Amino acid sequence: VAVVDVNNGNRFETYAIVGEPGEICLNGAAARLVHLGDIVIIFTYADFEASELEGFAPTVVHVDAHNRQV
């Protein structure tokens, strides 16, 4: 995934693992790039064959200040 910190402009790529619902947690070196309470944008990517794209639409999720989907 790619992560952008809106508050300080840091951008980096890392991996994602399953966590608790609503939880966004950075570990290791990535944890030094984002501060508690910062707003982040998380991008995910995938490769598709042309035949898989019919009817495909990306998913955009917006959350509130408590990381609850709105």
Side-chain angles (χ1 to χ4, degrees):
V1 299
V3 180
V4 177
D5 185 316
V6 175
N7 296 84
N8 64 28
N10 282 329
R11 298 167 179 255
F12 56 94
E13 292 187 5
T14 187
Y15 56 91
I17 58 175
V18 176
E20 296 298 319
E23 178 182 54
I24 298 174
C25 178
L26 297 169
N27 296 302
R32 296 183 147 293
L33 300 174
V34 176
H35 299 95
L36 184 62
D38 284 0
I39 296 171
V40 297
I41 301 170
I42 302 170
F43 300 89
T44 61
Y45 301 93
D47 289 323
F48 293 96
E49 298 293 330
S51 61
E52 298 175 288
L53 293 176
E54 186 174 331
F56 173 79
T59 302
V60 178
V61 178
H62 295 270
V63 297
D64 64 15
H66 302 285
N67 290 333
R68 292 183 298 235
Q69 187 172 343
V70 294

